[in-house]
Amino acid sequence: MERSEKRDTKDEWKLPKNIRQIGEPGEGIKILIEDYVYTYLHQMAEENLTCMKTAVLVGRTERDAAVYIQGAVEADMGQEMKKWFSHEHWSEIYREIQTWFEGQEVVGWYMANPGFPPILTEDLKSLHMGNFSVGTQVFFQTDVLDKEEVFYRNQESGPAPACGYYIYYEKNDRMQEYMSCKRGGAGIEPEGMLKDRAAVRFRNVMQEKKEQSSQKRVFALLYTSCMFLVLVILVIGVTMVNNYDRMANMEDALHQISESLGNEQELIESAMEEENQLAAATAEEQIPQQIETPETQPAESTEPVAVENQEETAPEPVQVPEETQEQEEETQEVISQAVREPERYQIQKGDTLLEISRLRYGTDEMVKKICEINGLEDGDKIYVGEIILLP
């Protein structure tokens, strides 16, 4: 009877509504980490990319079916791994848990080592088995530079990597207050990630690398083009050298043709001059005869008919009707309505209205307005590819 009751209570457990799946969690105990906790861990790792960062994860275990990570407490234990999780460290960790996350239990730990792949070494395995081997406690390891992360969960043979996990969304006031305290009172940005100096510096480094790679590609293209031009010039030079004799022979032939044409022109001119002289001598020998020609009266001149100039009539200008004051007011009203139109957004895989509200407006209160403007009765029933309006 007791076994059936346990099976029923475990079957009743369901995943939260607002979640985002990472990888393929598969069967067994599910790992769920709250969005603010996930944001804080990455922010902490990016704050200093030259050293390791550690934190203790707190939350609850749900009916031996899922581990909920609801908070994280940063643990500054230095860089010497053999001295981690000493008695002094645990005293400080439990003091922070009592202050910020009272009533929650330790469900695992976190480590970030920028530039090193998340691999479970023997030292890390011994640390985990010596401090977090109870029940469903997990180990979360990340490399923020290469964007790699792995969850490990306990099995009979020791910690083993999980194929996937879930990020879920809730208000989580405790984690928000803890993050604000660590930031010196600064608020949480809508994107869920604080743009601190370390993150900006990291983005600048990545941008410089992209620019350098693009410059290398441009230089390679220019080098290839120059080599091609040099090759073309060499081919043309070799061709010109080989054809030099042909060009010289062609020049001689053209010169001979021009000389022959000049000689022929002189012969033609001399022949024409002799013909003219002969014609003049013949004309002098002939006796001129006077031939009377009837007088011809000059033709009467006809006065030109005066043509009256026709006055050109200029076309009347087309009068463009001016806009009335009412049309201008209607135009301004249409423009103002176009400006105030809501923004269209296409639902992506893994989106929820709560996540969209947080990312765009920095608050959870806009979910109701998004449902109203789109006529949604249930905010959880949205589909990939669906177009919604954002106020």
Side-chain angles (χ1 to χ4, degrees):
M1 186 66 179
E2 292 178 358
R3 292 182 180 178
S4 61
E5 290 178 357
K6 289 183 179 180
R7 184 174 59 254
D8 293 340
T9 56
K10 185 174 181 179
D11 293 339
E12 290 175 358
W13 178 85
K14 295 181 180 180
L15 287 170
K17 294 182 178 180
N18 298 317
I19 62 172
R20 178 157 58 98
Q21 180 176 322
I22 307 297
E24 297 293 337
E27 299 180 355
I29 297 177
K30 305 295 188 297
I31 301 174
L32 298 96
I33 181 170
E34 205 278 323
D35 179 57
Y36 282 107
V37 182
Y38 183 84
T39 296
Y40 172 70
L41 294 176
H42 282 75
Q43 167 202 326
M44 181 182 67
E46 293 177 358
E47 186 176 4
N48 188 346
L49 300 176
T50 61
C51 63
M52 293 183 288
K53 291 287 186 175
T54 56
V56 173
L57 308 177
V58 297
R60 73 179 192 276
T61 301
E62 188 73 21
R63 298 190 182 95
D64 294 333
V67 177
Y68 284 82
I69 303 173
Q70 299 173 295
V73 175
E74 184 177 359
D76 186 6
M77 294 181 287
Q79 300 300 307
E80 191 173 353
M81 194 178 298
K82 295 180 179 180
K83 296 182 180 180
W84 285 4
F85 296 109
S86 64
H87 179 73
E88 291 78 10
H89 293 151
W90 277 115
S91 298
E92 182 63 26
I93 290 169
Y94 280 119
R95 189 180 301 110
E96 290 286 306
I97 293 174
Q98 290 295 324
T99 302
W100 298 102
F101 304 101
E102 185 178 3
Q104 297 184 13
E105 61 183 72
V106 175
V107 294
W109 66 299
Y110 166 80
M111 190 197 78
N113 193 8
F116 293 88
I119 299 175
L120 187 65
T121 63
E122 290 298 327
D123 292 337
L124 293 175
K125 184 176 181 180
S126 61
L127 279 173
H128 181 79
M129 296 302 295
N131 296 273
F132 302 93
S133 60
V134 179
T136 57
Q137 292 178 331
V138 298
F139 172 40
F140 187 28
Q141 188 179 8
T142 65
D143 177 13
V144 293
L145 287 179
D146 292 334
K147 304 298 182 182
E148 296 182 1
E149 53 190 27
V150 179
F151 263 104
Y152 295 89
R153 54 189 175 188
N154 291 329
Q155 293 186 359
E156 294 181 358
S157 59
C163 297
Y165 59 94
Y166 299 93
I167 298 176
Y168 71 100
Y169 303 88
E170 66 179 13
K171 197 171 183 180
N172 203 354
D173 294 332
R174 295 185 181 183
M175 193 64 210
Q176 292 187 49
E177 292 175 0
Y178 181 78
M179 294 172 68
S180 178
C181 178
K182 288 296 182 180
R183 295 290 300 167
I188 309 303
E189 293 188 0
E191 293 85 0
M193 289 291 290
L194 296 173
K195 297 180 180 178
D196 52 7
R197 295 179 180 177
V200 172
R201 184 168 60 253
F202 173 71
R203 295 190 188 99
N204 293 336
V205 171
M206 296 302 294
Q207 184 65 26
E208 290 177 359
K209 289 183 178 180
K210 290 181 180 178
E211 292 177 356
Q212 290 176 0
S213 62
S214 62
Q215 290 177 358
K216 289 180 180 178
R217 288 195 294 269
V218 172
F219 289 153
L221 180 61
L222 291 175
Y223 177 78
T224 304
S225 302
C226 292
M227 292 300 295
F228 179 74
L229 290 175
V230 170
L231 182 61
V232 170
I233 293 171
L234 289 175
V235 172
I236 293 174
V238 172
T239 304
M240 291 179 65
V241 170
N242 293 334
N243 296 332
Y244 177 75
D245 295 336
R246 294 181 182 179
M247 293 174 67
N249 296 331
M250 185 180 293
E251 186 178 358
D252 295 338
L254 291 173
H255 182 67
Q256 293 176 1
I257 292 171
S258 63
E259 288 181 352
S260 63
L261 289 175
N263 295 332
E264 290 178 0
Q265 183 69 23
E266 290 177 357
L267 293 174
I268 292 171
E269 290 178 356
S270 61
M272 291 178 65
E273 187 176 355
E274 292 178 356
E275 185 179 355
N276 291 332
Q277 291 176 358
L278 181 60
T282 304
E284 289 177 355
E285 293 177 355
Q286 293 179 354
I287 298 173
Q289 299 180 356
Q290 293 181 357
I291 303 175
E292 293 181 359
T293 59
E295 295 181 356
T296 59
Q297 295 182 355
E300 295 181 356
S301 62
T302 58
E303 295 181 356
V305 179
V307 180
E308 295 181 356
N309 296 328
Q310 296 180 355
E311 297 180 355
E312 297 181 355
T313 58
E316 295 182 1
V318 179
Q319 296 181 356
V320 180
E322 299 180 354
E323 293 184 353
T324 62
Q325 184 175 3
E326 294 179 356
Q327 292 175 342
E328 293 180 356
E329 291 178 356
E330 292 177 357
T331 304
Q332 294 295 332
E333 183 176 356
V334 171
I335 294 174
S336 62
Q337 289 177 358
V339 172
R340 293 194 298 268
E341 284 186 357
E343 180 182 352
R344 298 168 65 86
Y345 176 79
Q346 186 175 11
I347 300 300
Q348 305 296 324
K349 184 177 181 181
D351 281 347
T352 62
L353 294 185
L354 182 60
E355 180 182 4
I356 295 172
S357 176
R358 285 184 179 177
L359 294 178
R360 183 170 180 83
Y361 305 102
T363 179
D364 301 343
E365 304 299 330
M366 293 298 292
V367 175
K368 183 177 180 181
K369 293 185 177 181
I370 295 174
C371 292
E372 291 177 356
I373 197 172
N374 290 278
L376 299 175
E377 296 181 358
D378 189 352
D380 297 322
K381 291 184 177 180
I382 56 177
Y383 307 95
V384 175
E386 181 180 0
I387 304 298
I388 64 172
L389 300 178
L390 300 180

